[in-house]
Amino acid sequence: MLRKSSNTSAHGPSGIPYPIWKRVDKANERLLPSLFTPLLTPRYYPQALKKANGIVLDKPGKPDYRTPSSFRIIVLLKTVSKILERLSALQRAAAACSLGLLHPNQCRSLAGLGCFDAVATLSHEVRLLQAASLKVSTLFLDVKGGFDNVCGNKLAGMLTKEGVSTYLVAWIKSFLSKRQCRLIFQGAPKVFCPVAVGIPQGSPISPLLFVLYIASLHPSIPQGLAISYVDELTLTVGSDSVWSNIRILQHFFCVIQTQGADLEVTFSGPKTELIHWRTLKDRPDVSFAPIVINDMLFSPSQAVRWLGYWLTPTIQSSIHFRRRLALAQASFTTV
């Protein structure tokens, strides 16, 4: 866990950076295990580790900075709590896999499932449906608010219903309850205030808790696939026409929107995108059919950036490498 910790990471409220913990471990390799092992066994999470600093930063390019939406908060946790939470995440991930709590098409938060795996799975599914002479379309969705919308009581209830041990449920409820944060900005009182909702940003275990929370938002599509990467979800469908795809996508969006409402989860309109995939033999004008989602019209995109990859209707990699090269050249010129 210490090897994965950057020496330049901010230390949060404790004021103890990672290099100190690494020196402690080097001086006595038994000290930290003897410190952390007892903290992994009880049904509660220590209250002293639930405090964080929230660094308030301006969002660039905003016309007005009089509203909270014009700012973003970088949450800095105590380094000792992040080490403990990395250890906890390993235990909880193993338990989640053994109990089948995660959907098989969820990526991230588990070892060996990253951005490339999600993109490769999506590309493979598109090619597979096209090989069956079907028209294929994908709707890209983004969970609005992400971690901030997770309800601890709902998550605990879901896990209990799935047969998770009372020990693990109690630990998660304790981890999410009675958390505190103090905002750091010019003129701030620097007083810790209670945080009543969501899961802590920056915690190594938060991505795992989030994917557990939204595991149900993966409908079974007869000719297609639902894939997610943390809070980014894709619905891919295949049929005999793009217009049929539109109707199918609208149906499954309504399904997950209803399920999301039960979880108090919504989807971001501005981040919603549509793409109609086509083979090199298809005419370019067959992919202009738009979709209407919550009274908003979304026309198909000719290039979608998903998980750092640029995707085009023909799934050609040339545009991705051209754009990545352009960004690299721009950065080099700036330097």
Side-chain angles (χ1 to χ4, degrees):
M1 294 300 100
L2 286 175
R3 283 197 296 269
K4 296 179 180 179
S5 305
S6 172
N7 291 339
T8 59
S9 295
H11 45 66
S14 66
I16 304 176
Y18 284 119
I20 297 298
W21 294 113
K22 292 180 179 181
R23 292 180 64 181
V24 169
D25 184 62
K26 186 176 182 181
N28 186 343
E29 63 181 13
R30 296 184 180 180
L31 182 59
L32 292 184
S34 65
L35 171 65
F36 287 121
T37 299
L39 298 178
L40 291 169
T41 53
R43 295 169 177 257
Y44 66 90
Y45 189 80
Q47 188 64 37
L49 301 182
K50 296 182 182 181
K51 294 183 177 181
N53 287 341
I55 310 300
V56 182
L57 302 175
D58 301 353
K59 290 183 179 178
K62 292 290 183 179
D64 187 357
Y65 288 92
R66 291 179 293 180
T67 60
S69 61
S70 299
F71 302 87
R72 62 190 180 99
I73 299 176
I74 303 298
V75 179
L76 304 180
L77 304 172
K78 295 182 178 181
T79 50
V80 63
S81 68
K82 295 186 73 171
I83 297 172
L84 176 62
E85 288 155 24
R86 285 194 183 98
L87 294 169
S88 299
L90 288 176
Q91 287 186 333
R92 280 36 172 184
C97 290
S98 63
L99 293 172
L101 300 179
L102 295 170
H103 194 278
N105 296 335
Q106 285 182 292
C107 297
R108 184 72 164 84
S109 308
L110 294 173
L113 292 175
C115 296
F116 176 79
D117 300 281
V119 175
T121 302
L122 174 61
S123 301
H124 175 75
E125 181 66 17
V126 171
R127 295 301 193 197
L128 200 63
L129 292 170
Q130 288 179 334
S133 300
L134 299 176
K135 303 298 181 184
V136 189
S137 304
T138 298
L139 187 65
F140 296 84
L141 303 168
D142 186 274
V143 177
K144 189 175 182 179
F147 291 4
D148 296 336
N149 291 326
V150 174
C151 176
N153 290 332
K154 286 183 180 292
L155 176 59
M158 292 164 53
L159 296 178
T160 301
K161 186 178 179 180
E162 294 294 333
V164 177
S165 67
T166 55
Y167 152 70
L168 284 177
V169 174
W171 187 93
I172 291 173
K173 290 180 69 175
S174 175
F175 173 74
L176 296 178
S177 64
K178 298 181 180 180
R179 302 197 69 90
Q180 294 180 307
C181 183
R182 63 181 176 187
L183 298 181
I184 308 297
F185 59 92
Q186 186 175 1
K190 296 183 181 180
V191 176
F192 284 101
C193 297
V195 179
V197 296
I199 52 181
Q201 299 277 351
S203 170
I205 200 172
S206 289
L208 175 62
L209 297 181
F210 182 77
V211 296
L212 287 172
Y213 191 69
I214 66 166
S216 62
L217 302 183
H218 292 73
S220 178
I221 304 175
Q223 290 182 315
L225 194 65
I227 308 171
S228 70
Y229 185 89
V230 190
D231 58 350
E232 299 190 44
L233 177 67
T234 66
L235 301 177
T236 300
V237 301
S239 70
D240 56 356
S241 71
V242 293
W243 292 106
S244 295
N245 289 346
I246 294 296
R247 291 192 295 271
I248 299 171
L249 287 172
Q250 288 174 328
H251 165 73
F252 282 108
F253 177 81
C254 290
V255 170
I256 64 172
Q257 187 177 46
T258 301
Q259 293 173 331
D262 295 335
L263 301 175
E264 301 179 18
V265 166
T266 58
F267 296 95
S268 174
K271 295 183 179 180
T272 300
E273 292 191 87
L274 170 71
I275 192 169
H276 296 306
W277 309 100
R278 57 184 176 85
T279 65
L280 295 176
K281 297 180 180 179
D282 292 330
R283 300 194 321 273
D285 60 350
V286 301
S287 57
F288 290 158
I291 189 171
V292 177
I293 298 291
N294 291 336
D295 298 326
M296 297 178 64
L297 181 70
F298 297 94
S299 298
S301 302
Q302 296 306 306
V304 172
R305 189 172 189 267
W306 189 56
L307 307 182
Y309 290 84
W310 287 99
L311 305 174
T312 62
T314 54
I315 321 183
Q316 290 180 307
S317 59
S318 57
I319 187 172
H320 170 74
F321 290 109
R322 284 202 303 268
R323 297 203 179 194
R324 295 290 295 180
L325 181 60
L327 288 174
Q329 290 175 337
S331 300
F332 179 78
T333 303
T334 303
V335 174

